[in-house]
Amino acid sequence: DGGITQSPKYLFRKEGQNVTLSCEQNLNHDAMYWYRQDPGQGLRLIYYSQIVNDFQKGDIAEGYSVSREKKESFPLTVTSAQKNPTAFYLCASSKTGEQYFGPGTRLTVT
Amino acid sequence: GQQVMQIPQYQHVQEGEDFTTYCNSSTTLSNIQWYKQRPGGHPVFLIQLVKSGEVKKQKRLTFQFGEAKKNSSLHITATQTTDVGTYFCAGIWGRWALNFGKGTSLLVTP
C-alpha cells in the first residue's frame, strides 16, 4: 500500500520535554511538508523540504526542528522552546503539486 | 506574507440546498488548489486550477478560478450529508509557496 504514515496518532508530553513526530512516505515524492492545525486557523506551514538534506522554514518554524536524511522520512521535533505546542500536526508529501496528507498526530502538552 | 482569505467560516444548510465557499487573494496566484477535510480526518486533495477563468466540475462540485487569478470558488449543488467537512483553498504563488485559507466548515442537516 502506497501512502504517508504518521505516528503516533495521539501523543502526550509534559511541558519542557522535546518530542519527535514521525512522518514516512513510500510514494517516492521529493517534497515533504509539516503543518500545524489549530481550531479555526487552517493549516500553517512549519517546515518543508524539496530534496534530501535540504529544508526551509515555513511561516511558524520557531520552536521546531526537522531533518531530511532519507527521501522517505521527514521527522519533526517539537522543542521546549515552542510556547504553545498543543495542536494537530499534519505531514504531507508532493511530487507534482497536489499534496498527500498523513493521518496526523494530535500532540497534547501539559 | 501572501495570504488567501476564505469566506464564510461556517455554513449550515439543509440537505438538498446549495453551498458556495469563496477564496480571495490580494495578489495574482499561479494556481489554486482545493482540499476537503472530514471531521477527525486529514485534508484530501480535490482539484487544482491553473488557467484564468477555468471552470472544472466533479459531479455536484463546481470549481472556478477568476479571470484575474485572484479569486476562486467551490460550489456544491444539492448538498448531501456526505459533504460535511471543512473545505480549504490553497493559493500557490511560486513552485513551493502554498498558503492555505482558514477553511469553510460545512454542516448539512438531513
Side-chain angles (χ1 to χ4, degrees):
Chain A
D1 255 350
I4 182 165
T5 58
Q6 291 184 245
S7 61
K9 189 171 183 179
Y10 298 96
L11 191 55
F12 298 88
R13 280 293 184 270
K14 294 290 187 185
E15 198 173 305
Q17 293 179 335
N18 292 356
V19 59
T20 298
L21 281 59
S22 167
C23 178
E24 304 279 333
Q25 55 101 358
N26 60 5
L27 300 167
N28 198 32
H29 287 172
D30 291 314
M32 296 187 74
Y33 309 80
W34 273 105
Y35 294 92
R36 170 181 172 139
Q37 188 173 34
D38 297 283
Q41 293 297 316
L43 282 74
R44 292 184 290 169
L45 183 64
I46 304 172
Y47 269 97
Y48 65 100
S49 169
Q50 301 172 23
I51 198 169
V52 174
N53 292 322
D54 186 50
F55 47 83
Q56 285 79 40
K57 293 181 179 180
D59 298 323
I60 56 165
E62 185 176 349
Y64 300 98
S65 66
V66 294
S67 63
R68 185 88 186 275
E69 297 176 0
K70 298 187 300 181
K71 188 175 187 177
E72 302 79 20
S73 179
F74 191 40
L76 172 74
T77 297
V78 184
T79 75
S80 56
Q82 169 49 234
K83 295 179 181 177
N84 296 296
T86 294
F88 187 46
Y89 290 88
L90 287 157
C91 179
S93 70
S94 165
K95 192 170 187 72
T96 58
E98 62 189 81
Q99 297 198 356
Y100 293 82
F101 285 84
T105 292
R106 195 166 296 277
L107 173 65
T108 302
V109 177
T110 56
Chain B
Q2 292 158 322
Q3 292 183 336
V4 288
M5 305 302 293
Q6 197 172 349
I7 57 169
Q9 189 174 3
Y10 302 100
Q11 186 81 58
H12 182 184
V13 300
Q14 294 289 318
E15 191 172 23
E17 293 181 338
D18 292 357
F19 160 77
T20 304
T21 174
Y22 301 90
C23 190
N24 295 290
S25 168
S26 59
T27 57
T28 302
L29 298 161
S30 299
N31 310 323
I32 194 160
Q33 296 178 357
W34 285 91
Y35 292 79
K36 176 184 179 181
Q37 184 175 23
R38 294 182 187 273
H42 58 274
V44 174
F45 175 81
L46 293 176
I47 208 160
Q48 176 168 274
L49 304 174
V50 177
K51 299 177 184 176
S52 168
E54 190 169 15
V55 178
K56 287 189 176 180
K57 293 190 176 183
Q58 291 179 350
K59 298 183 180 177
R60 295 178 294 103
L61 277 61
T62 301
F63 304 84
Q64 294 190 348
F65 203 8
E67 293 290 341
K69 299 184 72 172
K70 289 184 176 181
N71 57 74
S72 181
S73 65
L74 158 59
H75 180 82
I76 302 178
T77 303
T79 54
Q80 299 175 358
T81 55
T82 54
D83 295 324
V84 165
T86 301
Y87 294 85
F88 293 98
C89 63
I92 304 168
W93 286 266
R95 186 179 176 189
W96 302 107
L98 192 154
N99 282 2
F100 282 81
K102 293 188 177 182
T104 296
S105 293
L106 173 64
L107 179 61
V108 181
T109 50

